[in-house]
Amino acid sequence: MKIFNAEKIKELDKLTIEKQQITSLDLMERAALQAFLWLVNHFQDKKTVYHIFCGDGNNGGDGLVIARLLKQNYFDVHVYIVPFNENFSTDFNSNLGRLKECNLEYEVISEATEFPNIGENHIIIDAIFGIGLTRELAGWIQKLIQKINYHQSFKVSIDVPSGLFLDKKTTIAIHSDVVLTFQFPKLAFYLPDNENFIAEIVLLPIDLDVKSIESIPSTYYYTDLNKIKKRYKPISKFSHKGTQGHALLIGGCFGKIGAMVLASQAALRSGCGLATVFVPKCGYEIMQTATPEAMVITDENYHKITNIEFNFQPKAIGIGMGIGQDDETTQAFHHFLKTIPFRW
């Protein structure tokens, strides 16, 4: 599954609108409907109280649609508008007007506004900022996000946690219990610095144009269990070590043979029929003791790899685990890369 940046996601939205002959409001309704369905499936009690914080852009528009759908299905809904621009987006304004159709009132949050009275068992929906956030948050909005974070309610962010940047370091954002993100995972979700902002990610399909998705290149991909299962090739009941491939693993140096122990065990566990490790002489007894099912050949040097030589043709080669950065090792690696194509 491709991971796109904000610019390409907006391009895909535009292409979908053109090719499917729908409006941006239709696409917003489609996305918000998926979020609504997830919410009512997970919080089925009609007594559930929702507090929805909406920015004045399209992410806020999603929040307004969710609020309307919840109200129409007889949930207790409270809407708070968090204005951060002088002009609201067109689709946001359209959905703001539609709140009147279901007699749903809203409150405008400002720097002077006291934080709403929210019960601990209530649900907070965060729809303040989406993927288009590019500037640092105003001080009063940072304080609002901090107050939301301090609250004990379950927090659901729409598309991304508000305040999260997709292309640079984030200092403050909503600490979401669940992020309901549309169509694609976002790279920022998987960066260690953002751990506090995301506890769980749920991908919601919104039927963006398939051909457009295929045609737009991406540097990053996300692989989930379903994708792995499709690639998995079951082993024949008549398979044996001679039919499952022979892997050669090259690495290790004095004090770092453990990396080769782990790598060899991983290779065998992943399905390799045979595994041979090439290590300095200091690693021989360690490898034979820790991973006796692996075969071992050694460099002439005791402490490090200086000359990579082997007399068989492996199906795959892995090199680098614990190998170190010694000059002689670097030269051996360079020589190996220059000569290895002639071995196949």
Side-chain angles (χ1 to χ4, degrees):
M1 183 185 303
K2 292 180 178 179
I3 298 178
F4 293 112
N5 59 25
E7 181 182 352
K8 289 183 177 179
I9 291 174
K10 291 177 181 178
E11 181 183 350
L12 280 167
D13 286 349
K14 183 179 178 182
L15 289 170
T16 298
I17 290 168
E18 292 174 355
K19 294 185 177 183
Q20 296 182 3
Q21 297 183 344
I22 60 175
T23 67
S24 55
L25 267 175
D26 293 331
L27 187 58
M28 181 176 287
E29 193 84 12
R30 183 190 295 177
L33 175 61
Q34 291 299 315
F36 161 76
L37 293 173
W38 186 92
L39 289 167
V40 297
N41 185 51
H42 285 76
F43 306 105
Q44 298 180 2
D45 188 347
K46 286 292 184 180
K47 295 181 180 179
T48 303
V49 181
Y50 290 93
H51 297 265
I52 306 181
F53 291 82
C54 301
D56 55 31
N58 287 342
N59 190 253
D62 293 331
L64 294 177
V65 177
I66 293 168
R68 170 165 45 84
L69 293 172
L70 287 169
K71 181 67 174 179
Q72 289 171 343
N73 284 269
Y74 308 105
F75 286 94
D76 188 355
V77 184
H78 303 267
V79 178
Y80 312 99
I81 307 301
V82 184
F84 51 88
N85 289 309
E86 292 183 5
N87 299 312
F88 297 171
S89 77
T90 302
D91 289 347
F92 176 89
N93 271 327
S94 296
N95 279 303
L96 191 62
R98 295 193 67 183
L99 291 186
K100 298 178 181 179
E101 299 175 7
C102 54
N103 298 315
L104 182 54
E105 301 293 330
Y106 60 85
E107 178 183 346
V108 178
I109 300 288
S110 68
E111 188 171 3
T113 305
E114 291 188 9
F115 190 75
N117 183 22
I118 300 175
E120 289 189 3
N121 295 323
H122 297 179
I123 307 298
I124 292 177
I125 307 266
D126 156 38
I128 305 173
F129 298 104
I131 61 172
L133 183 65
T134 57
R135 64 177 186 269
E136 297 297 331
L137 306 181
W140 71 272
I141 295 182
Q142 290 189 29
K143 291 179 181 178
L144 174 63
I145 288 177
Q146 288 173 339
K147 290 177 181 177
I148 293 174
N149 286 340
Y150 291 150
H151 206 278
Q152 296 303 307
S153 291
F154 192 88
K155 304 173 187 67
V156 180
S157 286
I158 305 303
D159 210 16
V160 298
S162 288
L164 184 74
F165 292 110
L166 296 192
D167 57 357
K168 62 180 179 179
K169 185 177 176 63
T170 298
T171 56
I172 181 170
I174 295 291
H175 290 190
S176 305
D177 293 295
V178 174
V179 179
L180 303 180
T181 195
F182 300 130
Q183 194 78 35
F184 308 104
K186 281 67 177 177
L187 182 62
F189 293 171
Y190 306 102
L191 302 180
D193 288 344
N194 296 330
E195 178 185 13
N196 291 333
F197 310 133
I198 302 157
E200 181 183 355
I201 301 162
V202 176
L203 284 178
L204 299 179
I206 57 173
D207 298 326
L208 295 182
D209 183 69
V210 175
K211 290 185 177 179
S212 297
I213 294 172
E214 293 174 351
S215 66
I216 296 178
S218 176
T219 306
Y220 302 100
Y221 291 81
Y222 176 78
T223 301
D224 60 14
L225 185 59
N226 290 330
K227 291 286 185 182
I228 293 172
K229 286 181 176 179
K230 289 179 181 179
R231 292 171 179 256
Y232 174 71
K233 296 180 180 179
I235 297 175
S236 166
K237 62 183 178 181
F238 298 110
S239 295
H240 54 82
K241 65 181 181 180
T243 63
Q244 290 304 112
H246 191 166
L248 171 64
L249 304 172
I250 304 167
C253 65
F254 188 81
K256 296 180 180 178
I257 301 300
M260 291 298 290
V261 171
L262 295 174
S264 61
Q265 292 174 354
L268 290 165
R269 186 171 296 181
S270 68
C272 294
L274 298 166
T276 294
V277 296
F278 184 95
V279 293
K281 285 185 178 179
C282 65
Y284 178 77
E285 291 183 355
I286 297 172
M287 290 301 313
Q288 295 280 259
T289 303
T291 315
E293 58 268 52
M295 295 172 283
V296 183
I297 52 178
T298 68
D299 193 277
E300 58 191 21
N301 192 286
Y302 183 82
H303 291 89
K304 59 194 174 186
I305 288 176
T306 59
N307 184 29
I308 302 169
E309 288 189 341
F310 50 94
N311 59 1
F312 66 98
Q313 185 170 310
K315 287 289 185 180
I317 298 175
I319 184 167
M321 300 71 71
I323 201 168
Q325 300 179 15
D326 185 89
D327 287 344
E328 284 186 86
T329 303
T330 302
Q331 291 172 13
F333 179 48
H334 181 254
H335 178 72
F336 169 78
L337 293 178
K338 286 173 60 179
T339 59
I340 191 62
F342 300 103
R343 295 182 182 271
W344 304 99

